[in-house]
Amino acid sequence: MNVTADGLRFPDGFLWGASTAAHQIEGNNVNSDWWHMEHEAGTTIAEPSGDAADSYHRWREDMDLLAQLGFTDYRFSIEWARIEPAPGHFSTAEIAHYRRMVDGAIARGLRPMVTLHHFTVPRWFAEGGGWSADGAADLFERYVRATAPIIGTGVRHVCTINEPNMIAVAGAVRKLGAEAPPALGTPLPDKATTDALIQAHHRARVAVKAISADIQVGWSIANQVYQALPGAEAATAAYAHPREDIFIEAARDDDWIGVQSYTRTRIGPDGPIPAPDGVERTLIGWEFYPQAVGHALRHTAEIIGDVPLIVTENGIATDDDTRRIDYTTGALREVAAALEDGLDIHGYLHWSALDNYEWGSYKPTFGLIAVDPDTFERTPKPSAAWLGDLGRTRVLPRAV
Ligand code: BGC
């Protein structure tokens, strides 16, 4: 971290970009478990993903915009349900589609970070018992090997699995069904799912390295920023371990770890407590708390030691774009402070490039770029120009 007369300069090579996930932007992901759940009789999902932002066809526009705005990195996911629509059947055409995306990013000066699995799985995988079924890690490893033509050249960073801790929580909620606990805090992740995901990640790491030893492999963890109230330190540590730390520990031999944070969760002696009265809340109900990413980075570094950190998601659901700029300014100050304290942080990828399907609803808008739901026309918001400009200068002005 360089301190200049103008402000704080991010290190050379620092990743500066935005993130997306296939199911949330592509549209018509019809072979996935999520598509099926969205259309099941009696579903509790408020609205289906439908055409999403039609990025399956419009990825070139998305990448053009990001590159023009000043970003140098783009994290996107490839869709297992498209690549392997039936067990053991791999689609050459879909593999070619994602390879075109990798080439398209590179041609525009965007370094692709490719996520292999971002929440959605093929419907056949879910119906076979999903992550808690025997052999789940074998099936994932087979899929990862099949992605060689996509990631084999030109891809520097591969994220094996996005937020395994949230996948394990979803596994527990599914098993509990109607007995699922109320929303406050995070349900206890399913143990079988946790173990399978860690195994799948380790197997995928080996498989990716066999595809190319140059690829830097990691995974990204949802960091809930558990903050202990006075006297609740031990309770907080016990609460955090199965929900977060166990997944961070599993990345100790990785090339990097993805830190994803949005808000905080305060923990008292009896568990999570609500956000303080009167705090500003985002469109998703979370406390407006830009400091979260600083805590998340420091907590992750404490557990993982020397493994480089990348902020792979951070952002805010709001329809007031000035608050997005305020939030992100606060978050970047936290990243800068952590860099100054010597943390080895290699990048910041904002969530999200586009307004997208927020797992059941289009209402919480996280995007730097607005998308018209009927015409799919993209309109960058002021925050996109602002964050892209910072990407050009790499200098965060001092707080005044
Ligand atoms: C996920 C994204 C999601 C975002 C905001 C993360 O948990 O990786 O898919 O849209 O947070 O909720």
Side-chain angles (χ1 to χ4, degrees), residues 234-312:
T236 303
Y239 191 84
H241 191 265
R243 291 170 172 83
E244 193 166 291
D245 300 352
I246 190 174
F247 297 91
I248 299 174
E249 288 163 3
R252 279 197 176 128
D253 294 327
D254 287 2
D255 298 311
W256 56 274
I257 182 163
V259 174
Q260 312 201 152
S261 76
Y262 294 87
T263 189
R264 64 173 168 175
T265 310
R266 299 182 313 148
I267 311 278
D270 302 321
I273 60 161
D277 281 346
V279 295
E280 177 180 349
R281 289 177 185 270
T282 69
L283 284 180
I284 210 157
W286 299 340
E287 179 186 355
F288 178 96
Y289 190 71
Q291 302 92 316
V293 72
H295 176 124
L297 285 162
R298 290 169 203 276
H299 177 72
T300 305
E302 236 167 66
I303 295 176
I304 208 164
D306 287 340
V307 177
L309 311 162
I310 301 177
V311 177
T312 40

Side-chain angles (χ1 to χ4, degrees), residues 335-348:
V335 175
L339 276 162
E340 281 195 296
D341 288 347
L343 266 71
D344 190 16
I345 308 168
H346 287 202
Y348 177 85

Side-chain angles (χ1 to χ4, degrees), residues 159-216:
C159 171
T160 60
I161 302 175
N162 178 73
E163 297 191 349
N165 49 336
M166 290 299 110
I167 301 174
V169 164
V173 171
R174 218 169 289 131
K175 281 188 185 165
L176 287 168
E179 289 158 43
L184 192 61
T186 319
L188 189 64
D190 178 57
K191 183 74 176 90
T193 305
T194 297
D195 293 346
L197 287 163
I198 290 174
Q199 198 196 2
H201 171 60
H202 290 159
R203 302 263 291 269
R205 186 173 63 204
V206 174
V208 172
K209 290 285 187 189
I211 292 169
S212 166
D214 293 338
I215 299 176
Q216 305 283 294

Side-chain angles (χ1 to χ4, degrees), residues 308-337:
L309 311 162
I310 301 177
V311 177
T312 40
E313 284 184 27
N314 172 254
I316 172 175
T318 180
D319 48 20
D320 176 354
D321 198 50
T322 60
R323 292 309 275 155
R324 187 176 338 275
I325 294 177
D326 296 341
Y327 178 91
T328 311
T329 302
L332 288 172
R333 289 203 194 293
E334 294 285 334
V335 175

